[in-house]
Amino acid sequence: MSGVDANYPCLVSPQTRICMGELIHWCANEFSDRPCIVIANTDEAVTYSQLEHRINRIAHGIRDGFECQNPYVAIMLENGIDYVAISYALKKLDKVEVSINRAFRGPVLQRTINLTQCEILFTSAAHFDALKQIASALVHLRYVVVLDELDRAKRQFREFEVLQLNDIVSKNTSHITSQAHDLDTAAIMFTSGTTGVSKGCVLSHRYAVVTARNLIEPFRITKDDVSYTPYPLSHIGPAYYDMLPSFITGGKVVLRDGFSLSSFWPEVVKHGATWFLCLGSVQQLLYSAPESPLDKKHKVTRCWSTPAPVAKKDFDERFNLHLIPGGGYGSTDAGWVVAPQWDHPGGIVLPEFEIAIVDEKGEEVPNGTNGELVVRSKIPGVISDAYFGMPEKTVESRRNLWFHTGDIARIGKDGYFYFKCRMAERIRVRGEMVSAFEVEEGALSHPAIEDAAAIGYASELGEEEIRLFVVLKQGTRLSAEAIQAHCAERMAKFMVPSIITFIDQMPRTPSGKPEIAKLKQL
């Protein structure tokens, strides 16, 4: 079981073919008494062997307690050790985890649960009200397994058989050998839906394992590292970018249920975190916060941000760490395709993939030219297999033998990969294509602006104008004209926002992206 690099050993090599139920068993045997997970805000903790015992007890309980033909099982939970244990118990049983975004409500929540015809749902009291609103429309659901407030759940969900998790947990801690092939489906994870209906990405065991292995060398992860992640486990970032690489190297994961700016550095310091990922607006929020002695009194040596609106030099100096330059590229749909470089802003395509940059007709463009990133794999299973229950969307995304990402990028004349923006984030202004990120980047350089998001709106000329939503730092005042003047000094004239809208708080998805649909309603 040799790793990808002698300097950063892990339990899987490029040749390893293993399903995740067996992989967690390997980890428990190899790293038995090492700390595995700690919950940041409660200090609840488990070792690798303790985690597997919990996984096995839940797996036996599910196998012995339910007679369900459908392999799809839904999880709608806040981050916690039981979330992880349920997830891996399903993988030992060769069932498919349907990861429900806990922010979903109404028709979106109904659609995601009904899509796979799940008969079992694991959830908690935090989600009872949202589920009650759609309970009568969940035509396939039979069992609701709750972590807490059993009596309330039984009153609210008379349509289903309601059980408490601890009541179904077995005393049997023995390992259940998975019969799954590594190309079998392990999970369905939903895209955030910021640019349309949320799509369920069908992900194999191999997808997860290869993704995790390919993150170890770029981020220099070892058994001595402690990862800090506050993002929801229904998202690929914490599940496969943060947690799984730590598992296969024997490191520790600090889980938090939701990002908290006031708790971030105190928890990082308390638990000895050594690395983290900045998703969504986290980098900007950390940098915009008032300076604190904890900014430099931590053990973090490196982090990576996507996007990265704050300059590397400024972020490094403020927090005494190494911000790995942009460079990398991954998505739930396409997989982890491009590895960032430790000290270069460009990225390098990973050996399991090939990419091209194409124009609107699908023709490859010269190096140095922006275009749509298209991807294909050299081995099966490292790109999402399909959008579950959406054959037309699956076919639409796979054209001319390539998976079309909907993202704009370029291959530089130096041969490195550079990400630009999502196609949906482009705004067409007077014949020019403007990146929303670059507008936001310019605005965020103003010391009074804490957060910003740019969108397009229809103009009288038939194209678009730019509307910028701005959150000011507490105690500051700034006029729209001042923001426009600031932008005019830092970007092309056609990129300067026509409308500035001040808001108290930026609506964001659990993965940190601005909720465009909500902004358009303001």
Side-chain angles (χ1 to χ4, degrees):
M1 295 187 292
S2 61
V4 291
D5 189 296
N7 294 316
Y8 309 102
C10 69
L11 288 185
V12 292
S13 73
Q15 293 75 40
T16 302
R17 298 291 179 258
I18 188 171
C19 64
M20 293 172 73
E22 292 304 301
L23 180 58
I24 200 69
H25 183 56
W26 279 18
C27 294
N29 286 337
E30 184 74 16
F31 308 123
S32 176
D33 295 326
R34 289 182 62 83
C36 181
I37 299 173
V38 61
I39 305 303
N41 40 327
T42 66
D43 293 337
E44 181 185 6
V46 289
T47 64
Y48 279 86
S49 60
Q50 289 170 338
L51 176 63
E52 199 197 20
H53 283 171
R54 184 64 173 171
I55 292 169
N56 291 342
R57 293 181 66 195
I58 293 174
H60 282 285
I62 294 173
R63 187 180 67 177
D64 299 340
F66 300 96
E67 294 182 2
C68 297
Q69 300 302 314
N70 191 335
Y72 300 98
V73 177
I75 303 177
M76 186 180 185
L77 285 172
E78 50 281 349
N79 287 357
I81 290 169
D82 273 335
Y83 190 133
V84 180
I86 294 165
S87 171
Y88 280 87
L90 296 177
K91 293 166 178 65
K92 288 199 175 193
L93 296 170
D94 307 334
K95 295 188 178 296
V96 178
E97 174 188 347
V98 180
S99 304
I100 304 296
N101 187 324
R102 66 194 188 199
F104 284 174
R105 296 290 185 273
V108 177
L109 180 58
Q110 175 186 324
R111 182 168 54 247
T112 53
I113 295 175
N114 281 342
L115 186 63
T116 55
Q117 302 182 12
C118 293
E119 296 177 68
I120 306 171
L121 167 67
F122 289 87
T123 191
S124 67
H127 313 294
F128 287 178
D129 290 343
L131 289 165
K132 180 58 181 174
Q133 292 177 0
I134 59 166
S136 61
L138 301 178
V139 295
H140 305 286
L141 194 64
R142 295 171 57 192
Y143 303 99
V144 174
V145 184
V146 300
L147 270 61
D148 52 4
E149 298 195 31
L150 177 65
D151 291 340
R152 176 187 163 199
K154 286 184 173 181
R155 291 193 303 271
Q156 286 195 260
F157 302 115
R158 300 185 186 278
E159 304 93 333
F160 315 117
E161 184 173 346
V162 180
L163 304 164
Q164 180 111 12
L165 176 64
N166 285 337
D167 290 340
I168 71 162
V169 171
S170 169
K171 294 181 180 180
N172 190 342
T173 62
S174 63
H175 169 56
I176 297 174
T177 301
S178 171
Q179 302 303 313
H181 190 282
D182 79 317
L183 286 176
D184 290 345
T185 301
I188 295 176
M189 288 189 174
F190 289 88
T191 59
S192 60
T194 54
T195 58
V197 174
S198 296
K199 300 182 287 291
C201 296
V202 179
L203 309 180
S204 70
H205 294 266
R206 183 180 294 179
Y207 175 108
V209 174
V210 170
T211 294
R213 189 193 70 228
N214 281 339
L215 281 150
I216 290 170
E217 193 279 331
F219 296 139
R220 302 188 178 183
I221 302 169
T222 73
K223 63 181 176 59
D224 299 319
D225 276 310
V226 178
S227 169
Y228 178 86
T229 182
Y231 313 110
L233 286 170
S234 59
H235 187 271
I236 191 173
Y240 295 170
Y241 292 9
D242 291 328
M243 191 165 66
L244 195 51
S246 295
F247 285 179
I248 62 178
T249 52
K252 183 169 75 172
V253 179
V254 180
L255 272 180
R256 189 180 208 285
D257 186 44
F259 174 78
S260 166
L261 184 59
S262 61
S263 299
F264 187 92
W265 288 114
E267 290 176 351
V268 163
V269 171
K270 176 181 177 180
H271 296 289
T274 60
W275 73 283
F276 61 84
L277 300 182
C278 294
L279 300 181
S281 61
V282 167
Q283 190 211 22
Q284 175 63 30
L285 291 174
L286 293 176
Y287 191 76
S288 297
E291 293 192 15
S292 160
L294 296 183
D295 288 355
K296 290 183 169 67
K297 290 186 177 180
H298 53 75
K299 296 182 179 179
V300 175
T301 57
R302 73 277 192 204
C303 67
W304 185 59
S305 180
T306 175
V310 180
K312 170 180 166 52
K313 179 177 180 292
D314 295 337
F315 200 79
D316 287 1
E317 289 181 356
R318 163 79 183 269
F319 297 111
N320 191 32
L321 49 71
H322 176 72
L323 176 67
I324 300 170
Y329 176 86
S331 71
T332 312
D333 322 52
W336 178 243
V337 179
V338 180
Q341 303 305 292
W342 188 259
D343 55 6
H344 191 284
I348 294 178
V349 180
L350 288 158
E352 292 84 3
F353 300 89
E354 57 180 308
I355 70 170
I357 308 297
V358 301
D359 60 21
E360 293 177 355
K361 294 182 179 179
E363 298 284 354
E364 195 164 353
V365 300
N367 283 8
T369 304
N370 291 332
E372 183 184 10
L373 168 66
V374 294
V375 178
R376 58 188 174 202
S377 62
K378 296 180 181 179
I379 62 172
V382 294
I383 290 177
S384 65
D385 293 326
Y387 295 126
F388 190 92
M390 296 181 174
E392 71 290 344
K393 292 290 185 183
T394 301
V395 172
E396 179 186 324
S397 66
R398 291 155 169 83
R399 307 188 302 276
N400 303 322
L401 303 179
W402 293 96
F403 175 79
H404 287 248
T405 65
D407 291 330
I408 302 299
R410 74 177 189 277
I411 302 296
K413 294 186 178 179
D414 56 5
Y416 285 92
F417 169 90
Y418 296 89
F419 177 77
K420 186 76 172 175
C421 65
R422 288 194 59 79
M423 290 177 70
E425 293 170 353
R426 294 184 304 171
I427 305 168
R428 184 178 289 277
V429 181
R430 295 185 288 281
E432 299 283 353
M433 296 307 300
V434 177
S435 162
F437 171 77
E438 290 182 339
V439 176
E440 294 158 5
E441 183 181 42
L444 287 167
S445 65
H446 194 291
I449 295 178
E450 180 176 291
D451 207 351
I455 66 171
Y457 71 95
S459 75
E460 296 178 356
L461 301 176
E463 289 192 335
E464 292 180 296
E465 296 291 342
I466 300 170
R467 183 180 183 187
L468 184 70
F469 294 86
V470 172
V471 178
L472 294 178
K473 292 181 180 178
Q474 190 171 3
T476 63
R477 299 181 66 182
L478 196 63
S479 69
E481 293 75 17
I483 294 174
Q484 289 169 324
H486 177 81
C487 290
E489 294 176 356
R490 288 160 176 79
M491 59 186 71
K493 184 177 180 180
F494 59 81
M495 296 173 64
V496 176
S498 300
I499 296 180
I500 307 293
T501 301
F502 294 97
I503 55 178
D504 294 330
Q505 186 175 10
M506 186 67 65
R508 290 191 176 273
T509 68
S511 58
K513 300 175 184 176
E515 287 197 86
I516 302 302
K518 285 188 176 180
L519 291 175
K520 287 182 176 179
Q521 294 172 3
L522 297 178

